[in-house]
Coordinates of all heavy atoms in Angstrom, one line a residue:
V1 N 79.6 44.1 38.4 CA 80.2 45.4 38.7 C 79.0 46.4 38.7 O 78.2 46.4 37.7 CB 81.2 45.9 37.6 CG1 81.6 47.3 37.9 CG2 82.4 44.9 37.6
R2 N 78.9 47.1 39.8 CA 77.8 48.1 39.9 C 78.3 49.4 40.3 O 79.3 49.6 41.0 CB 76.8 47.6 41.0 CG 75.9 46.4 40.6 CD 74.7 46.3 41.6 NE 73.9 45.1 41.2 CZ 73.9 43.9 41.7 NH1 74.7 43.7 42.7 NH2 73.1 43.0 41.3
Y3 N 77.6 50.5 39.8 CA 77.8 51.8 40.2 C 76.5 52.3 40.8 O 75.6 52.8 40.1 CB 78.2 52.7 39.0 CG 79.4 52.2 38.3 CD1 79.3 51.5 37.1 CD2 80.7 52.5 38.7 CE1 80.4 51.1 36.4 CE2 81.8 52.1 38.0 CZ 81.7 51.3 36.9 OH 82.8 50.9 36.2
G4 N 76.4 52.2 42.1 CA 75.1 52.6 42.7 C 74.0 51.6 42.3 O 74.2 50.4 42.4
A5 N 73.0 52.2 41.7 CA 71.9 51.4 41.3 C 72.1 50.8 39.9 O 71.3 50.0 39.4 CB 70.6 52.2 41.3
I6 N 73.2 51.2 39.2 CA 73.4 50.8 37.8 C 74.3 49.6 37.8 O 75.4 49.6 38.4 CB 74.1 51.9 37.0 CG1 73.1 53.1 36.9 CG2 74.4 51.4 35.6 CD1 73.8 54.3 36.3
T7 N 73.9 48.5 37.1 CA 74.7 47.3 37.0 C 75.4 47.4 35.6 O 74.8 47.3 34.6 CB 73.8 46.0 37.0 OG1 73.2 46.0 38.3 CG2 74.7 44.8 36.9
A8 N 76.7 47.6 35.7 CA 77.5 47.7 34.4 C 77.9 46.4 33.9 O 78.1 46.2 32.6 CB 78.7 48.6 34.7
V9 N 78.2 45.4 34.7 CA 78.6 44.1 34.3 C 77.8 43.1 35.1 O 77.8 43.3 36.4 CB 80.1 43.9 34.5 CG1 80.5 42.4 34.1 CG2 80.9 44.9 33.7
H10 N 77.2 42.1 34.5 CA 76.5 41.1 35.3 C 76.7 39.7 34.8 O 76.5 39.4 33.6 CB 75.0 41.5 35.4 CG 74.3 41.6 34.0 ND1 73.8 40.5 33.4 CD2 74.1 42.6 33.2 CE1 73.2 40.9 32.2 NE2 73.4 42.2 32.1
G11 N 77.2 38.9 35.7 CA 77.3 37.4 35.4 C 78.3 37.1 34.3 O 78.1 36.1 33.6
V12 N 79.4 37.8 34.2 CA 80.3 37.6 33.1 C 81.3 36.5 33.5 O 81.9 36.5 34.6 CB 81.1 38.8 32.7 CG1 82.4 38.5 31.9 CG2 80.2 39.8 31.9
D13 N 81.5 35.5 32.6 CA 82.5 34.5 32.7 C 83.5 34.6 31.6 O 83.1 34.8 30.5 CB 81.9 33.1 32.7 CG 81.0 32.7 33.8 OD1 81.2 33.3 34.9 OD2 80.1 31.9 33.6
L14 N 84.8 34.6 31.9 CA 85.8 34.8 30.9 C 87.1 34.1 31.3 O 87.5 34.2 32.4 CB 86.1 36.3 30.7 CG 87.3 36.7 29.8 CD1 87.0 36.4 28.4 CD2 87.6 38.2 30.0
K15 N 87.7 33.4 30.3 CA 89.0 32.8 30.5 C 90.0 33.4 29.5 O 89.6 33.5 28.3 CB 89.0 31.3 30.4 CG 88.2 30.6 31.5 CD 88.2 29.1 31.3 CE 87.4 28.3 32.4 NZ 88.0 28.4 33.7
V16 N 91.2 33.7 29.9 CA 92.3 34.0 28.9 C 93.4 33.1 29.3 O 93.9 33.0 30.4 CB 92.7 35.5 29.1 CG1 93.8 35.8 28.1 CG2 91.5 36.4 28.9
H17 N 93.9 32.5 28.3 CA 95.0 31.5 28.5 C 96.4 32.1 28.2 O 96.5 33.2 27.5 CB 94.8 30.3 27.6 CG 93.5 29.6 27.9 ND1 92.3 29.9 27.4 CD2 93.2 28.6 28.8 CE1 91.3 29.2 27.9 NE2 91.9 28.4 28.7
A18 N 97.4 31.5 28.7 CA 98.8 32.1 28.5 C 99.1 32.2 27.1 O 98.9 31.3 26.3 CB 99.8 31.1 29.2
G19 N 99.6 33.4 26.7 CA 99.9 33.7 25.3 C 98.8 33.9 24.3 O 99.0 34.1 23.1
E20 N 97.6 33.9 24.9 CA 96.4 34.1 24.0 C 95.9 35.5 23.9 O 96.2 36.3 24.8 CB 95.2 33.2 24.6 CG 94.0 33.2 23.8 CD 92.9 32.4 24.4 OE1 92.8 32.4 25.7 OE2 92.1 31.8 23.7
T21 N 95.3 35.9 22.8 CA 94.7 37.2 22.6 C 93.2 37.0 22.5 O 92.7 36.3 21.6 CB 95.2 37.9 21.3 OG1 96.7 38.1 21.5 CG2 94.6 39.2 21.1
V22 N 92.5 37.7 23.3 CA 91.0 37.7 23.3 C 90.5 39.1 23.1 O 91.0 40.1 23.7 CB 90.5 37.2 24.6 CG1 88.9 37.2 24.7 CG2 90.9 35.7 24.9
A23 N 89.6 39.3 22.1 CA 89.0 40.6 21.8 C 87.6 40.7 22.4 O 86.9 39.7 22.3 CB 89.0 40.8 20.3
I24 N 87.3 41.8 23.0 CA 86.0 42.1 23.5 C 85.5 43.3 22.7 O 86.1 44.4 22.8 CB 85.9 42.3 25.0 CG1 86.4 41.1 25.7 CG2 84.5 42.7 25.4 CD1 86.5 41.3 27.2
V25 N 84.4 43.1 21.9 CA 83.9 44.3 21.1 C 82.4 44.5 21.5 O 81.8 43.6 22.0 CB 84.1 44.0 19.6 CG1 85.5 43.8 19.3 CG2 83.2 42.8 19.2
G26 N 82.0 45.7 21.2 CA 80.6 46.0 21.4 C 80.4 47.5 21.5 O 81.4 48.3 21.4
P27 N 79.2 47.9 21.6 CA 78.9 49.4 21.5 C 79.3 50.1 22.8 O 79.6 49.5 23.8 CB 77.3 49.4 21.3 CG 76.9 48.1 22.0 CD 77.9 47.1 21.7
N28 N 79.3 51.4 22.7 CA 79.5 52.2 23.9 C 78.5 51.9 25.0 O 77.3 51.6 24.7 CB 79.3 53.7 23.6 CG 80.6 54.3 22.9 OD1 81.7 53.8 23.1 ND2 80.4 55.3 22.1
G29 N 78.9 51.8 26.2 CA 78.0 51.5 27.3 C 77.7 50.1 27.5 O 76.9 49.7 28.4
A30 N 78.5 49.2 26.8 CA 78.2 47.8 27.0 C 78.8 47.2 28.2 O 78.4 46.1 28.6 CB 78.8 47.1 25.7
G31 N 79.7 47.9 28.9 CA 80.3 47.4 30.1 C 81.8 46.9 29.9 O 82.4 46.4 30.8
K32 N 82.3 47.2 28.7 CA 83.7 46.7 28.4 C 84.7 47.3 29.3 O 85.6 46.6 29.8 CB 84.0 47.0 26.9 CG 83.0 46.4 25.9 CD 83.4 46.7 24.5 CE 83.7 48.1 24.1 NZ 82.4 49.0 24.2
T33 N 84.7 48.6 29.4 CA 85.7 49.3 30.2 C 85.6 48.9 31.7 O 86.6 48.7 32.4 CB 85.6 50.8 30.1 OG1 85.9 51.2 28.7 CG2 86.5 51.6 31.0
S34 N 84.3 48.7 32.2 CA 84.1 48.3 33.6 C 84.7 46.9 33.8 O 85.3 46.7 34.9 CB 82.6 48.3 33.9 OG 82.1 49.6 33.8
L35 N 84.6 46.1 32.8 CA 85.2 44.7 33.0 C 86.7 44.8 33.1 O 87.3 44.2 34.0 CB 84.8 43.9 31.8 CG 85.4 42.5 31.7 CD1 85.1 41.6 32.9 CD2 84.9 41.8 30.4
L36 N 87.3 45.6 32.2 CA 88.8 45.7 32.3 C 89.2 46.4 33.6 O 90.2 46.0 34.2 CB 89.3 46.6 31.1 CG 89.3 46.0 29.7 CD1 90.2 46.8 28.8 CD2 89.8 44.5 29.7
S37 N 88.4 47.4 34.0 CA 88.8 48.1 35.3 C 88.7 47.2 36.5 O 89.5 47.3 37.4 CB 87.8 49.3 35.4 OG 88.0 50.2 34.4
A38 N 87.8 46.3 36.5 CA 87.7 45.3 37.6 C 88.8 44.3 37.6 O 89.4 44.0 38.6 CB 86.3 44.5 37.5
I39 N 89.2 43.8 36.4 CA 90.4 42.9 36.3 C 91.6 43.7 36.7 O 92.5 43.1 37.4 CB 90.5 42.4 34.9 CG1 89.3 41.5 34.5 CG2 91.8 41.5 34.7 CD1 89.2 41.1 33.1

């Protein structure tokens, strides 16, 4: 995921299985919201 020259998410692989809960944690600016927004 890129915003102009800024790469917010790069090379992320993720699987979520039926009925499963997956947590993504990290500091501000880590790309978490960009990942959710893309999904």
Side-chain angles (χ1 to χ4, degrees):
V1 176
R2 289 195 177 100
Y3 304 99
I6 298 174
T7 301
V9 177
H10 57 87
V12 164
D13 295 331
L14 173 68
K15 292 181 185 292
V16 181
H17 299 87
E20 184 182 34
T21 297
V22 177
I24 301 176
V25 303
N28 283 332
K32 306 185 303 295
T33 294
S34 294
L35 174 58
L36 287 195
S37 296
I39 296 172

